[in-house]
Amino acid sequence: MHILVTNDDGVYAPGLLALANELRSLGKVSIVAPDHNWSASGHVKTLRRPLRAKEVELEDGTLAFACDGAPSDCVTISALGLLPERIDMVVSGINPNANLGHDVTYSGTVTAAMEAVIWNLPGVAVSMDAPEYHSGPLEYHTAAQVGKRVAQRVWENGLPNNTLLNVNVPYCTMDEIKGFRVTRQGLRVYHDKLIKREDPRGQPYYWIGGDAPSGVPEEGTDVGALSQCYVSITPLTLDLTLHSFKEEMAAWDF
Ligand code: MN
């Protein structure tokens, strides 16, 4: 199996190296990741400027491509021939913070896996629920092991067309994890605040600030599973159609 590993935190992020090193026991691993942090960049296709990818060496000597495009661009150029060998699976991460509920449309980690689906490849996004304001280096070992386990199951069982997996791992040791739950998207609660400031020339500028998002820990959801120390695995599809509303809407007088 040939696995493409990417992320949205940049090619030098420790979570990416932890994941790539763990996945190597399943097959050949190639790394193509953004050259800087693209967190919360969403699903991107760069068409109005060229994309550059240069080979770099990671902390332990692992070779990788650093690309100046988005995570989804990294998947696209890899699938289109940057990597001469056919790709069998795309695994994205490890993002240090959870991607739950509506986060999936913002997340570069998840949208890289969405791009895999567009190229008919199985896509897995792996995020870890580290405390939002954690200082010092994070421990990625548990999430990397979980990522490997999920990738292995995907390889054995396959995924339906148009499907990716969004995996979120509690921030604890493997022993402390209670198990794996297949979940649906829960409800994220955003605490965004508009911060208005003034630049040196008197012009206003804005930051989207405020506290980190929380969530409603409902049973059966990704938020709920994490809150009880379970790994959350949500199968996602790119078909965003609201089928349950189609019939009612068809009766509207257009
Ligand atoms: Mn990120």
Side-chain angles (χ1 to χ4, degrees):
M1 171 164 55
H2 180 206
I3 306 171
L4 169 65
V5 174
T6 190
N7 74 349
D8 76 352
D9 301 307
V11 71
Y12 296 109
L16 175 135
L17 190 56
L19 181 63
N21 284 342
E22 196 70 37
L23 289 173
R24 209 164 282 122
S25 63
L26 300 179
K28 183 186 162 134
V29 169
S30 297
I31 301 172
V32 182
D35 63 4
H36 66 274
N37 195 319
W38 280 78
S39 295
S41 64
H43 201 165
V44 172
K45 184 176 269 185
T46 298
L47 296 176
R48 298 180 67 87
R49 64 173 176 86
L51 288 168
R52 293 179 194 275
K54 69 167 185 186
E55 207 158 19
V56 297
E57 212 174 279
L58 305 186
E59 205 186 332
D60 66 354
T62 299
L63 291 176
F65 278 106
C67 171
D68 65 354
S72 38
D73 289 320
C74 293
V75 174
T76 302
I77 63 168
S78 300
L80 284 177
L82 174 74
L83 302 178
E85 237 177 286
R86 200 177 65 92
I87 301 163
D88 298 304
M89 188 185 301
V90 176
V91 185
S92 172
I94 301 165
N95 199 65
N97 299 112
N99 279 305
L100 307 169
H102 294 339
D103 291 346
V104 301
T105 60
Y106 294 119
S107 165
T109 310
V110 178
T111 51
M114 288 179 179
E115 189 64 22
V117 163
I118 286 174
W119 294 101
N120 265 318
L121 297 168
V124 177
V126 185
S127 306
M128 183 169 88
D129 191 25
E132 198 69 36
Y133 302 108
H134 186 280
S135 61
L138 289 167
E139 182 53 66
Y140 285 95
H141 187 62
T142 304
Q145 281 183 290
V146 167
K148 181 175 76 174
R149 175 111 63 112
V150 174
Q152 194 168 359
R153 294 291 174 266
V154 167
W155 186 238
E156 290 160 2
N157 298 290
L159 285 177
N161 281 342
N162 214 15
T163 306
L164 60 137
L165 298 184
N166 183 33
V167 181
N168 283 277
V169 185
Y171 190 61
C172 57
T173 66
M174 206 64 193
D175 290 344
E176 288 163 333
I177 284 182
K178 289 211 192 112
F180 289 68
R181 289 229 165 122
V182 176
T183 57
R184 62 186 165 85
Q185 286 171 266
L187 193 62
R188 261 298 202 198
V189 180
Y190 296 101
H191 305 287
D192 295 346
K193 282 202 176 77
L194 191 64
I195 314 282
K196 183 180 178 183
R197 293 187 181 152
E198 213 172 76
D199 76 14
R201 279 160 286 281
Q203 295 300 308
Y205 67 92
Y206 303 89
W207 276 103
I208 300 173
D211 290 330
S214 54
V216 181
E218 202 186 335
E219 189 70 30
T221 66
D222 48 10
V223 182
L226 271 193
S227 73
Q228 292 175 48
C229 219
Y230 285 89
V231 172
S232 166
I233 308 177
T234 313
L236 298 175
T237 172
L238 288 193
D239 179 0
L240 300 179
T241 311
L242 182 57
H243 294 278
S244 62
F245 188 52
K246 274 170 60 199
E247 204 178 324
E248 183 188 331
M249 218 180 114
W252 290 10
D253 183 22
F254 283 108

